[in-house]
Amino acid sequence: MSKSLEGQQLELLKLPELPDNGLLVVGFSGGADSTALAHWLMGRVQRERVLLAHVNHMLRGSEADRDQAAAEAFAREQGLKIEVLRVDVGKLARERGMGTEECGREVRYGFFHRLAPGDNDRILTAHNADDNAETMILNLCRGAGLEGLCGIPRQRGRVLRPLLGVSRKKIEEYCRENGLRYVTDSSNLTDGYTRNKLRHQVLPVLKGLNPRFIQAAAGTAELLARDRDCLMGQAEALLEGARGLWGLETKALIREEKSVRSRAVKLFLERSGGVNLERKHIEEALEILERGGGADLPGVRVSCAQGVLWAGDKAGCGPFEVPAKLGRNPIPGGKCVIISEKIPGKAENPGKIQNLLFKNELDYDIMTGPAASLPGGLALRSRRPGDRFAPAGREVTKPIKQVFQELRVPGPIRDSLPLLVCGGEIVWCPGAGASERFKVTERTKRVLVVEIEDGKG
Amino acid sequence: MSKSLEGQQLELLKLPELPDNGLLVVGFSGGADSTALAHWLMGRVQRERVLLAHVNHMLRGSEADRDQAAAEAFAREQGLKIEVLRVDVGKLARERGMGTEECGREVRYGFFHRLAPGDNDRILTAHNADDNAETMILNLCRGAGLEGLCGIPRQRGRVLRPLLGVSRKKIEEYCRENGLRYVTDSSNLTDGYTRNKLRHQVLPVLKGLNPRFIQAAAGTAELLARDRDCLMGQAEALLEGARGLWGLETKALIREEKSVRSRAVKLFLERSGGVNLERKHIEEALEILERGGGADLPGVRVSCAQGVLWAGDKAGCGPFEVPAKLGRNPIPGGKCVIISEKIPGKAENPGKIQNLLFKNELDYDIMTGPAASLPGGLALRSRRPGDRFAPAGREVTKPIKQVFQELRVPGPIRDSLPLLVCGGEIVWCPGAGASERFKVTERTKRVLVVEIEDGKG
């Protein structure tokens, strides 16, 4: 490939969705990649928008200081702003009990994000196609699925990676063509780190087998990302369609392909508090989905019974009773019961009383009249032994346990479900609505509406 | 892992859907893998069902002969049948202009299939988890998408690979435990072949990074295969749903995710004659789908106009005219027009004449009566300049070109579409049906039905 064509290749890069204003924070090590990125960017946007962000990890003694000085010199020569962060990453990693690489990444991105707080600010990192191929192989080594094999994301939040499709070789040629000096991190030339092992021992062999290996891997990453997006879209749709009162309806999940189902369950668990969920955890949750039961997974408890897959806090809250008032009533477990008063409008048909729409409406006249004289007043509390409830329109009184069973309330949340009591009597139960004695009728003048903030109720 | 556990691992293998009878042809090199496979199989099925198939590729001189002798000795000692094929693969590959490895594979699988002709016969090859990991990396090097990264298929037609989940290390341990001697192919120990480069230079590094790399890769392959199956199932469904009279309806294709759409288009092209289609070919077809136009791809021409994506033979046939008779009428291009006579039954409502069901029915009385006296008789021919057609019930006569346009007949097949003519007049056109003068009415006594064999008509 001729030199001019290589120049063109960088020329052809498109900045993904770059706003017209705002800071462009460039992760700037001073190496070939970030030097090329900064130089290339200067030709495309106003210089004042560019801010170089250099992190001195203090891992390589005087060499790190030399690199910092070089980065500062580059900024001076080019008339660019620069911010420098010095952090003893080795020490910090030991303190936090994490790997040096992982800790360094956390420090860098934290710094970048602090420098780019505005909605229109963007963070640009200089990851290239070689980095991407390395990440793909690294994730293959770790046993990752499709998601991991897609490599480094081109965009994540406000972080953009415009050079992800450009090989290291082309970037170095760009620097040569444009007379750019850059530093070489000596840790890149040793096999001290996992990634360098790949870089120096594996990639050369693969490039020997296919001189266009880096481009081939980039093409693969692109194809895989398309497949991933397609499957993730289906998983999101499944999640939406399967959502029920207390969790996910197992019927909807089970009839879907495992490929989509497993992704939906993973999303569900993550959004319910799950962290660092591995393949084995998802497989366990899928087993529970099919066979029932429950398990504690990292950060989240999952259980399945009566056709409902539930996920949430491992530890439920203990028994509670709090006085209830109009407005927001925070209850143990982080939720909020909202109680409001309203006058029924003409449009509302009392005949629809049993419909879901009117389920959470209570006759406020009775509550403030006859029931108000009962001891205990209005309160929100958890279930107690011996509790009974008379669902409106059902002409029966039954143990609250049976009501919960019929409502398919997942076991782990039964003790934390707030019951509205008036004068010691349960007048409203989430999912079931008003009790017979407090239901809204055509004679009702004032209505009390009860809602739980996350939509269940 | 203890030795007994490793033994168990092989123990736990399940033969995928093995019939109760039929031959089990084992691809038998005499190496550790196939020796372990044959030995393990003997403990599970009747010895008489097992047939070892050894191919001497004549690539390694006396060493190959030594291996053949060892394979024959193993069969003798174990009381197993063996078939040996000697082929000078190097010479054959040169003659056929293909790579030695590729040619060897063709020779081997051809041999195995000849030995296993019965429906219940199966071919078992000893590919292991290391082979699979190598294939995955090899395909990554080549820029393959999801399909290639799934590695070696566990089953393809009658070929089964029961050891695909077992690492080479475990297989060698199994041989040691069971006192099995095996030969070592010296070509495995050199870097002469692509695969050996991976085996000796790349895999050891990856195993160094993750000692469980082989198992991790196997897990990845399994996850990816699940995703692939899911997307392929959707592509098949899309293909089915998009199928129209002349090809695929572009509307149905375009509203589908690209991930599924590209797979459906690939399947469509392959089933229309496409061979060795690469990513760039599929991308070209997808462009044509969006923008219209046409292109010659390997083995297949693709074109898109008026909402129809068509694929088929590159070369259309020249002008033709063949006499038509009752029964099968082969026409140039490989298709067949089937003409049959029938008496209309009571259940058939002549009022439905314009429906698709009756579109291909002609009034045979007129054809054998007044029209039969016209010169030219009954014939099937391609369109000619000046051709005009009067579709039944439309009260208009129009140029055949316009009829084809309205029917959205793809350009490449317009010259090969068979028109039924009677006395020089077009009486039936595929997709349009009978002409006005020859349509079936309540007075029709004898009906002629015209069909094209592949369902279009």
Side-chain angles (χ1 to χ4, degrees):
Chain A
M1 201 171 274
S2 76
K3 287 211 171 182
S4 61
L5 235 172
E6 289 141 18
Q8 274 183 328
Q9 286 288 43
L10 273 189
E11 208 59 56
L12 288 169
L13 285 174
K14 281 206 194 85
L15 279 175
E17 295 173 42
L18 210 57
D20 290 337
N21 52 59
L23 268 184
L24 301 173
V25 174
V26 177
F28 190 76
S29 72
D33 300 325
S34 55
T35 301
L37 175 60
H39 181 267
W40 172 81
L41 197 62
M42 278 161 50
R44 269 137 207 94
V45 300
Q46 296 150 302
R47 208 161 285 226
E48 305 80 60
R49 291 183 63 193
V50 180
L51 169 60
L52 305 184
H54 181 85
V55 178
N56 183 335
H57 296 81
M58 300 172 73
L59 289 170
R60 290 168 295 125
S62 62
E63 191 188 284
D65 294 335
R66 175 209 73 183
D67 291 355
Q68 180 185 329
E72 287 166 330
F74 178 85
R76 217 168 26 245
E77 286 160 23
Q78 305 283 344
L80 294 173
K81 289 172 286 183
I82 187 166
E83 289 279 350
V84 174
L85 176 71
R86 290 176 65 91
V87 178
D88 187 338
V89 169
K91 190 172 152 228
L92 191 65
R94 280 190 301 278
E95 281 169 13
R96 292 188 185 171
M98 52 202 300
T100 316
E101 280 181 278
E102 190 192 351
C103 181
R105 194 180 314 118
E106 218 169 67
V107 163
R108 281 196 303 281
Y109 281 93
F111 178 52
F112 299 160
H113 276 98
R114 283 195 302 280
L115 293 175
D119 279 350
N120 282 341
D121 297 345
R122 292 291 178 272
I123 295 158
L124 277 70
T125 72
H127 291 92
N128 63 35
D130 288 60
D131 297 327
N132 202 21
E134 287 156 19
T135 298
M136 291 166 78
I137 296 173
L138 209 53
N139 286 341
L140 179 65
C141 280
R142 288 172 180 151
L146 184 55
E147 280 67 16
L149 293 184
C150 294
I152 302 170
R154 194 170 281 273
Q155 174 157 18
R156 179 173 281 174
R158 282 186 286 138
V159 178
L160 311 179
R161 301 185 170 104
L163 299 188
L164 204 56
V166 187
S167 69
R168 184 167 293 138
K169 190 166 155 247
K170 288 223 180 92
I171 288 171
E172 284 169 6
E173 280 161 355
Y174 178 90
C175 287
R176 255 201 313 282
E177 277 175 52
N178 291 281
L180 299 172
R181 276 170 299 123
Y182 53 86
V183 298
T184 303
D185 183 337
S186 68
S187 68
N188 280 340
L189 298 176
T190 67
D191 279 356
Y193 294 103
T194 305
R195 188 173 282 277
N196 284 324
K197 260 210 148 74
L198 285 179
R199 185 166 300 174
H200 300 300
Q201 294 182 18
V202 172
L203 258 67
V205 181
L206 301 183
K207 286 178 184 175
L209 292 180
N210 178 8
R212 293 185 51 78
F213 163 67
I214 295 298
Q215 291 86 339
T220 295
E222 209 180 294
L223 280 175
L224 296 182
R226 191 196 282 172
D227 291 340
R228 175 204 56 198
D229 291 349
C230 177
L231 291 169
M232 284 304 277
Q234 294 178 20
E236 289 280 7
L238 174 60
L239 211 49
E240 193 53 42
R243 199 168 288 283
L245 209 51
W246 314 109
L248 301 182
E249 298 289 338
T250 58
K251 239 191 325 191
L253 291 173
I254 282 171
R255 66 169 166 249
E256 187 63 64
E257 291 262 6
K258 193 172 180 186
S259 173
V260 175
R261 187 198 320 154
S262 61
R263 286 179 165 84
V265 166
K266 182 160 187 275
L267 287 175
F268 177 62
L269 294 178
E270 283 170 353
R271 289 170 190 174
S272 305
V275 285
N276 299 326
L277 295 170
E278 293 171 22
R279 187 187 171 191
K280 63 180 179 197
H281 301 125
I282 306 304
E283 291 292 332
E284 195 175 348
L286 291 173
E287 280 261 314
I288 287 168
L289 169 67
E290 280 181 41
R291 303 195 188 163
D296 285 325
L297 303 180
V300 69
R301 177 160 182 81
V302 62
S303 79
C304 187
Q306 288 186 281
V308 175
L309 184 75
W310 172 88
D313 283 346
K314 288 182 190 194
C317 50
F320 65 91
E321 172 160 1
V322 293
K325 56 181 199 312
L326 285 178
R328 294 169 60 82
N329 295 273
I331 52 166
K335 293 202 172 121
C336 218
V337 178
I338 299 162
I339 302 178
S340 54
E341 188 188 355
K342 73 164 181 174
I343 312 294
K346 275 187 199 165
E348 286 170 22
N349 176 4
K352 278 194 187 166
I353 255 155
Q354 292 318 313
N355 286 2
L356 206 65
L357 191 63
F358 292 89
K359 218 167 61 174
N360 297 316
E361 304 198 339
L362 299 161
D363 190 320
Y364 201 18
D365 301 321
I366 299 177
M367 296 178 85
T368 49
S373 60
L374 295 171
L378 200 62
L380 286 159
R381 67 159 172 82
S382 51
R383 66 170 173 173
R384 288 179 191 162
D387 269 349
R388 297 178 68 83
F389 182 65
R394 300 272 298 278
E395 296 180 355
V396 70
T397 299
K398 42 183 120 184
I400 197 76
K401 183 178 181 171
Q402 194 184 329
V403 175
F404 282 179
Q405 269 167 359
E406 287 168 9
L407 288 170
R408 301 188 301 151
V409 179
I413 63 170
R414 291 188 178 183
D415 283 324
S416 56
L417 224 57
L419 302 166
L420 186 66
V421 294
C422 181
E425 183 182 344
I426 300 172
V427 300
W428 174 87
C429 167
S435 73
E436 177 63 25
R437 195 150 82 92
F438 291 84
K439 73 177 178 188
V440 174
T441 67
E442 53 272 29
R443 291 181 310 277
T444 304
K445 295 205 180 60
R446 291 157 63 228
V447 172
L448 202 67
V449 183
V450 195
E451 286 168 296
I452 298 187
E453 197 157 55
D454 68 351
K456 294 172 191 164
Chain B
M1 201 171 274
S2 74
K3 287 212 170 179
S4 60
L5 233 171
E6 289 142 19
Q8 275 184 327
Q9 288 286 46
L10 273 188
E11 208 59 55
L12 287 169
L13 286 174
K14 281 208 194 85
L15 279 174
E17 294 175 42
L18 210 56
D20 289 337
N21 52 60
L23 267 183
L24 302 172
V25 174
V26 177
F28 190 77
S29 71
D33 301 324
S34 54
T35 300
L37 175 59
H39 181 266
W40 172 80
L41 197 61
M42 278 160 50
R44 269 141 205 90
V45 300
Q46 296 150 300
R47 210 161 282 224
E48 303 79 61
R49 292 182 63 192
V50 180
L51 170 60
L52 305 184
H54 181 84
V55 178
N56 184 337
H57 298 81
M58 300 170 73
L59 289 170
R60 290 169 296 125
S62 63
E63 192 188 286
D65 294 334
R66 176 208 71 183
D67 290 357
Q68 181 186 328
E72 288 167 329
F74 178 84
R76 217 170 22 247
E77 286 161 24
Q78 305 285 344
L80 294 173
K81 288 173 285 185
I82 188 166
E83 288 280 349
V84 174
L85 177 70
R86 290 175 66 93
V87 179
D88 188 338
V89 169
K91 193 173 151 225
L92 191 67
R94 282 189 302 279
E95 281 168 15
R96 294 190 183 169
M98 52 202 300
T100 315
E101 279 182 279
E102 191 191 351
C103 182
R105 196 181 312 117
E106 220 169 65
V107 163
R108 279 196 303 281
Y109 280 94
F111 178 53
F112 299 161
H113 276 99
R114 284 196 299 281
L115 293 176
D119 280 350
N120 282 341
D121 296 344
R122 293 290 178 274
I123 294 158
L124 278 70
T125 72
H127 291 92
N128 62 35
D130 288 60
D131 297 326
N132 202 21
E134 286 156 20
T135 297
M136 292 166 77
I137 296 173
L138 209 54
N139 286 340
L140 179 66
C141 278
R142 289 172 181 152
L146 184 55
E147 279 69 15
L149 293 184
C150 295
I152 302 169
R154 194 170 282 274
Q155 171 155 20
R156 178 173 280 172
R158 282 185 285 137
V159 179
L160 311 179
R161 300 184 172 105
L163 299 188
L164 205 57
V166 187
S167 69
R168 183 166 294 139
K169 191 165 154 248
K170 287 223 183 92
I171 288 171
E172 284 169 4
E173 280 162 353
Y174 178 88
C175 288
R176 252 202 315 284
E177 276 175 54
N178 291 280
L180 298 172
R181 276 169 299 123
Y182 53 85
V183 298
T184 304
D185 183 338
S186 69
S187 69
N188 280 339
L189 298 175
T190 67
D191 278 356
Y193 294 104
T194 305
R195 188 172 283 276
N196 284 324
K197 257 206 152 73
L198 285 180
R199 186 165 301 173
H200 300 300
Q201 293 181 18
V202 172
L203 258 65
V205 182
L206 302 183
K207 286 178 184 175
L209 293 180
N210 178 6
R212 292 185 50 78
F213 163 66
I214 295 299
Q215 291 87 340
T220 296
E222 205 180 299
L223 280 175
L224 296 182
R226 190 197 282 171
D227 291 341
R228 176 205 55 199
D229 291 347
C230 177
L231 291 169
M232 285 304 279
Q234 294 177 20
E236 289 279 8
L238 173 59
L239 210 50
E240 192 52 42
R243 198 168 290 283
L245 210 50
W246 314 110
L248 301 182
E249 298 289 338
T250 59
K251 238 191 326 190
L253 290 173
I254 282 171
R255 66 169 167 250
E256 187 62 63
E257 291 262 6
K258 194 171 180 188
S259 173
V260 175
R261 188 198 319 153
S262 61
R263 285 180 165 83
V265 166
K266 183 160 187 277
L267 286 175
F268 178 60
L269 295 177
E270 283 170 352
R271 289 171 190 174
S272 304
V275 284
N276 298 326
L277 295 170
E278 294 170 21
R279 187 188 171 186
K280 63 179 180 200
H281 300 126
I282 306 303
E283 291 291 334
E284 197 175 348
L286 291 173
E287 281 261 314
I288 287 167
L289 169 68
E290 280 181 41
R291 303 193 189 164
D296 284 325
L297 304 180
V300 69
R301 177 158 184 85
V302 61
S303 80
C304 187
Q306 288 186 281
V308 176
L309 184 75
W310 172 88
D313 282 348
K314 288 182 188 192
C317 49
F320 65 91
E321 172 161 0
V322 294
K325 57 180 197 315
L326 285 179
R328 294 169 61 82
N329 295 273
I331 53 166
K335 291 199 176 125
C336 218
V337 178
I338 297 161
I339 302 178
S340 53
E341 187 187 356
K342 72 165 182 176
I343 313 292
K346 274 187 197 166
E348 285 171 19
N349 176 4
K352 277 193 187 166
I353 254 156
Q354 290 317 311
N355 286 0
L356 207 66
L357 190 62
F358 292 89
K359 218 166 61 174
N360 297 317
E361 304 199 339
L362 298 160
D363 190 320
Y364 200 19
D365 300 321
I366 299 177
M367 297 177 84
T368 49
S373 59
L374 295 169
L378 199 63
L380 286 159
R381 67 159 173 82
S382 52
R383 65 169 174 174
R384 288 179 191 161
D387 268 349
R388 296 179 69 83
F389 182 67
R394 300 271 298 279
E395 294 180 358
V396 70
T397 298
K398 42 182 118 183
I400 197 76
K401 183 177 181 170
Q402 195 183 328
V403 176
F404 281 178
Q405 269 167 359
E406 288 168 7
L407 288 170
R408 301 188 301 151
V409 180
I413 64 169
R414 289 187 180 184
D415 283 325
S416 55
L417 224 56
L419 303 166
L420 186 66
V421 293
C422 181
E425 182 181 347
I426 299 174
V427 300
W428 176 87
C429 168
S435 74
E436 177 62 25
R437 196 150 79 92
F438 291 82
K439 74 177 178 189
V440 174
T441 67
E442 53 272 31
R443 290 183 308 279
T444 304
K445 294 204 182 63
R446 289 156 64 227
V447 173
L448 202 67
V449 183
V450 195
E451 287 169 295
I452 300 187
E453 195 158 56
D454 69 350
K456 294 173 190 162

